[in-house]
Amino acid sequence: DSGVTQTPKHLITATGQRVTLRCSPRSGDLSVYWYQQSLDQGLQFLIHYYNGEERAKGNILERFSAQQFPDLHSELNLSSLELGDSALYFCASSVGELSEQFFGPGTRLTVL
Amino acid sequence: GENVEQHPSTLSVQEGDSAVIKCTYSDSASNYFPWYKQELGKRPQLIIDIRSNVGEKKDQRIAVTLNKTAKHFSLHITETQPEDSAVYFCAARDQAGTALIFGKGTTLSVSS
């Protein structure tokens, strides 16, 4: 157990809908990263927050957004969902911006 | 941006043999190279990492080597065991210094 928690474990929804994925970092970690894992694209970086501030963006679609709250948990919002958004979404946390990243158990999103 | 190539995509070995997985990266500014092991349905788990000021690092049966001039790094697993069977991902920290850019993964199968 890495100490990073994610909810929900599974999410099944329909095209066009909006969902929110939640991540709680390890105690003491200030950085949260979101990654998407799909069969064809592999593990892709989406976005990074450090102590509440957005620090870097990767291949994140405009339909996706995220934030990190004062208690350091983070939420990833996915809207206008498409079939191709079906994937595993992982968050990872680290103490600082240049430290080892530890992954949560992931949320499996299925869009029907 | 950073690009990471990983080979082979699949690797089958007999128990007790050694396994080697190789990765190349494109951004000479990258300075941190972790390896993750992912079992089916589980989170990526950090197993070893190396920073650019070190050429080799060992931890029991696993070792990682880095050649900065050639921009490649490798994972070596000795005396493989069936429980080593998993997907292994290499990664490089990107130019901005925060996100991890992952290779496509290597599925390692160890047969007894």
Side-chain angles (χ1 to χ4, degrees), chain A residues 2 33 35 37 40-41 43 45 48 56 90 97-101 103-104, chain B residues 32 36 38 42-44 46 49 51 89 93 97-102 104:
Chain A
S2 66
Y33 307 80
Y35 293 88
Q37 186 174 36
D40 55 341
Q41 294 295 323
L43 263 166
F45 166 69
H48 168 217
F90 287 103
E97 295 181 276
L98 302 181
S99 309
E100 299 87 345
Q101 295 182 22
F103 280 73
Chain B
Y32 174 66
Y36 286 84
Q38 187 177 27
K42 301 286 183 65
R43 73 189 78 200
L46 179 67
D49 57 12
R51 298 179 190 272
F89 292 94
R93 189 141 57 198
T98 59
L100 294 178
I101 307 303
F102 285 86
K104 293 291 189 185

Side-chain angles (χ1 to χ4, degrees), chain B residues 4-37:
Chain B
V4 177
E5 300 283 339
Q6 183 172 347
H7 300 279
S9 57
T10 60
L11 181 57
S12 296
V13 299
Q14 291 287 319
E15 183 177 2
D17 287 349
S18 294
V20 180
I21 303 170
K22 299 182 179 182
C23 290
T24 60
Y25 61 98
S26 60
D27 184 0
S28 56
S30 292
N31 60 10
Y32 174 66
F33 308 93
W35 286 87
Y36 286 84
K37 174 184 180 182

